Amino acid sequence: MTQGLSGADLRALATLLDSFGVSLGWADADGRVQPLGPGPAVDAPARAPRVASMRLTDGRRLVVSGQDPRAGGSAASAAQAPSRMAHLPERRAGADVADMRFRLLAEHSIDLIVAVDADLAIRYASPATATLLGCQPADLHGHTLAELLAPEDRAAFIARHFTRSAQRGQSAPDLFRALRRDGSTLWVEARVASLPPGNGLGDYLVTLRDADQRKRAEDSLGKVNAELSTLASTDALTGLPNRRQFDATLHKEWYRALRDGTPLGLLMIDVDRFKPLNDRFGHQVGDAFLALVGKVIRDNVRRAGDMAARYGGEEFAVVLPGTAATGALEIADVIRRAVANADTRGIVEGGYPLSVSVGVAATVALAGGGSASLVHSADAALYQAKRNGRNRVELLQ
């Protein structure tokens, strides 16, 4: 029995057996047992009946015996073990060490560990049920895993982890909302692992970890990133999309028009005689005039998909997907007249005349071309409007 085992091996074995309430030790000729484990030396009669013994060549015997729970020390610890694990299913005789290790880990894990059958009936729930869900493990008996999920998350979660098409073995972490006893929800990170047949626990092992704080942080970070993205693509003075966003949108709409074979219109708008206005009233008043022009343009570009942007300085642009020359000219003149009729008395006393010149371009996108050609045509039309007296709309033929 001891062949090939060192003294350290025997002591380790004794310590393991001691945790199960079994003593391993040497018995001398007088019947006094010296345990190899942490327990104190006792007379053999004080022990529970021996399980087995083996006489060695030096006269000693290697004794395996049951411990008396009244003996104190590690035996007392073993006596307390059932109370610590009272809510676990009754252990069958001869349960292996691996099963004991699992249950000890589950007892002390801050994660909620749930074992379920193929029909998702809960066979076991660890003590973390109280912390995570606000109820006791025994409260989950007779319930299914699906009942722990928020109703709107159930179908998707079950489809990802428990259908035939779901990945077998251990799944990747998955976030879902769990229902607490008080009716509130908690974001939880879940892992699902398939268990081998005949394991005594069930078909699946589900580990649930509190992810509420993480989800709130992710949502907050996502909101901040969205705000930063908006700021990066928005003109601070007018609130319109900036040149960067204009370029990206025009590029996207050009290729959409090329794919669909639809026309694409573009307006380039410039505030007339803005430099004299800025020199006369100063930059702050000049900025107020630009903000007013931006608002007028935005208010008159109402169709979904159209986009008004600040192109730079006192120049604005409007992208008009699906719009041919006739429609683009109509929108351009609506904007021109609205700016000319804008009330500027709130900016300077008595008001100040304001007008814009508009260059129009519209085309059906062709392969081999690009959106830059549309900008070039609208710019050329804008300069023609300036040369022809300003406060007008021009389209190059």
Side-chain angles (χ1 to χ4, degrees):
M1 173 178 167
T2 62
Q3 185 176 5
L5 293 178
S6 66
D9 292 333
L10 288 173
R11 285 191 293 274
L13 178 61
T15 300
L16 178 61
L17 290 172
D18 189 76
S19 67
F20 289 95
V22 177
S23 174
L24 176 66
W26 300 113
D28 57 23
D30 297 327
R32 185 173 180 78
V33 177
Q34 178 63 46
L36 284 167
V42 294
D43 292 333
R47 291 287 190 176
R50 295 172 183 173
V51 175
S53 67
M54 178 179 185
R55 184 175 298 279
L56 304 180
T57 56
D58 60 1
R60 294 182 300 170
R61 282 176 297 148
L62 188 63
V63 178
V64 179
S65 61
Q67 293 182 3
D68 184 349
R70 297 167 298 175
S74 58
S77 299
Q80 294 169 4
S83 66
R84 291 197 303 267
M85 305 176 66
H87 69 281
L88 293 174
E90 183 177 352
R91 291 186 56 82
R92 66 186 183 278
D96 57 25
V97 175
D99 188 46
M100 172 62 80
R101 285 175 177 170
F102 161 75
R103 293 180 182 276
L104 288 174
L105 288 172
E107 290 291 312
H108 297 92
S109 174
I110 62 173
D111 297 338
L112 171 56
I113 300 174
V114 181
V116 299
D117 285 335
D119 59 0
L120 303 189
I122 296 173
R123 292 276 303 276
Y124 167 81
S126 69
T129 305
T131 305
L132 215 63
L133 303 182
C135 59
Q136 296 303 313
D139 297 333
L140 301 185
H141 294 166
H143 294 276
T144 66
L145 180 68
E147 294 176 72
L148 304 186
L149 317 183
E152 55 271 32
D153 291 349
R154 288 174 185 170
F157 183 79
I158 291 172
R160 280 196 296 270
H161 300 288
F162 300 104
T163 59
R164 288 185 179 179
S165 59
Q167 180 181 354
R168 297 305 177 187
Q170 183 163 312
S171 64
D174 188 17
L175 284 180
F176 74 94
R177 284 162 294 181
L179 285 175
R180 291 177 54 83
R181 185 171 190 171
D182 60 8
S184 63
T185 59
L186 178 77
W187 281 102
V188 171
E189 180 184 278
R191 285 182 181 271
V192 179
S194 299
L195 293 175
N199 63 83
L201 279 174
D203 295 284
Y204 297 96
L205 193 68
V206 183
T207 305
L208 309 178
R209 175 171 295 177
D210 186 344
D212 207 51
Q213 187 173 2
R214 167 190 155 189
K215 188 65 170 63
R216 287 198 302 268
E218 288 179 352
D219 289 346
S220 178
L221 182 59
K223 188 177 298 183
V224 169
N225 286 336
E227 291 173 356
L228 289 175
S229 179
T230 300
L231 288 173
S233 59
T234 302
D235 175 59
L237 177 63
T238 64
L240 294 173
N242 60 16
R243 171 67 180 275
R244 175 186 176 187
Q245 184 66 16
F246 165 79
D247 288 340
T249 301
L250 182 61
H251 182 77
K252 177 186 69 178
E253 294 299 342
W254 174 271
Y255 282 100
R256 179 179 294 174
L258 179 64
R259 180 194 66 196
D260 298 340
T262 55
L264 178 61
L266 176 65
L267 311 182
M268 299 299 290
I269 306 168
D270 190 80
V271 180
D272 294 330
R273 299 182 176 88
F274 181 73
K275 187 176 185 306
L277 180 154
N278 210 37
D279 291 342
R280 177 176 176 180
F281 296 109
H283 292 294
Q284 287 186 332
V285 172
D287 286 349
F289 274 99
L290 290 176
L292 176 61
V293 172
K295 181 179 184 304
V296 171
I297 294 173
R298 180 175 58 243
D299 291 346
N300 287 278
V301 178
R302 301 189 183 96
R303 194 181 63 168
D306 294 348
M307 188 195 75
R310 186 180 180 190
Y311 193 74
E314 63 271 21
E315 195 169 2
F316 298 82
V318 179
V319 181
L320 302 169
T323 305
T326 302
L329 282 169
E330 291 176 358
I331 296 172
D333 200 54
V334 167
I335 292 173
R336 182 196 63 79
R337 287 187 280 107
V339 171
N341 294 327
D343 186 358
T344 61
R345 289 174 297 177
I347 300 175
V348 295
E349 186 177 354
Y352 188 85
L354 196 60
S355 68
V356 294
S357 296
V358 186
V360 178
T363 187
V364 175
L366 298 174
S371 59
S373 62
L374 195 63
V375 175
H376 178 75
S377 296
D379 255 338
L382 171 61
Y383 288 121
Q384 181 171 294
K386 293 285 189 181
R387 289 193 300 269
N388 289 341
R390 298 181 175 85
N391 191 24
R392 59 187 296 114
V393 175
E394 292 282 354
L395 169 69
L396 293 182
Q397 299 300 327

